[in-house]
Amino acid sequence: MTAADGRFDAAVTGIGMVTPAGLGTAASWDRVKSATGTAAQRVPALAGIPADIGCCIPDFDPAAAVGKRKAWRLDRSSQFAVAAATEALADAGLDPETWDGARVGVVLGSGIGGAAAWEKQHHVLLEQGSRKVSALLIPMLAVNMSAGYIAMEFGARGPNFVTATACASGATAVGAARELLRSGRCDVVITGGTEACLIPSIISGFQQMGALSERRDRPTAASRPFDVDRDGFVPAEGAAVLVLERPESARARGAHVRAHISGYGASADAYNATAPEPQGAGAELALRAALDDAGVDPGSVDHVNAHGTSTPLNDLMEARLIRRVLGDRPAVTSVKGVTGHSLGASGAIEVAIAALTVENGLIPPTANLDSQDPEIDLDVVAKEARPADVEVAVSNSFGFGGQNAVLLLTRP
């Protein structure tokens, strides 16, 4: 690894997670590193439509997570966000009662926002009329509200916004949060992504475009990134929140730093609304930008946390990209084999897992990888976690509209 003038590291001092792999960071990490199959099941909310499997969080208790009086006012996506942020701030050892809230920013990613609230109230409109529609509908469905509610909960009065770059949203948010630290505008940024859209209208849309796995008879084997028999992704819900600070500030207060966010790159394919550019030309721009931003040589990357959706097109494109730019050295994994694809939250969940990989020196395996596609010429970790000295890791996120975001992490 070589340093470049102007390099900027953001210290990850806190992580909070609410994922299909588990409630909380420890539970999520344990399930991901054991890779005991996809956390997929038949979802009651999807009953009656053909695509009725997903990775949901059945044990999530909104009242316990955010308080009974708040829970009924928040869409499920905002509930996840506040719960994950609460854990992340506790993990970072930060007390909102003592900080300068004007120096604390919030940047969340979400692809769809409060879609569940919108769909529920649309049924109310059709069945009971407009006067029965909730007065809270707009603040529940607006995509910016997950960040807004975190700010209200913790008195974070700095810059506050949500990035919406489809399935790259969470990664885009972390990259934007790092820029707020680099610019000097903030001292602390709460960042990540959230999504909760396991609802008939959204899932039917994905089904109609042929993006979902059809393994409804074996849900736990349905998400199989890089496998020769992959046939589509499994939709999921969840959230991950990271606390970012400048390394010198973290050291000064004795915080534990899990990893550094040292590089960020973003680009557009300018190719197709839903399909990736086959050779990954657009995604390559983002990957090389992240490497340049961090001052890291491509040959120094030890690990790639891949976007790895389990779709035929994405996995092959990403494999070609990794091989072309990074060679055969990095050990590759996709956590979507366990978590499914949580859309706008996926990039945040995956950079959180990448940070834990760097911290623990353990690369999680790709679940359900029984027979690697022969066209995917990569060292994909499978079957069991691999101990490794990970000094440099890359986390890829790609989304509809040709949105690409890549984060590069280093060991502190």
Side-chain angles (χ1 to χ4, degrees), residues 166-167 205-206 209-211 233 269 271-277 309 311 313-314 317 398-403:
C167 299
F206 282 119
M209 69 171 63
F233 76 82
D269 284 355
Y271 172 75
N272 185 277
T274 58
E277 197 284 324
T309 59
T311 58
L313 293 180
N314 174 87
M317 175 280 289
F398 313 127
F400 283 177
Q403 304 276 5

Side-chain angles (χ1 to χ4, degrees), residues 53-79:
I53 67 170
C55 295
C56 61
I57 308 173
D59 297 328
F60 181 74
D61 182 349
V66 303
K68 186 175 181 179
R69 294 187 65 182
K70 296 173 188 171
W72 70 273
R73 290 186 247 164
L74 275 62
D75 177 79
R76 190 168 171 87
S77 62
S78 292
Q79 293 170 355

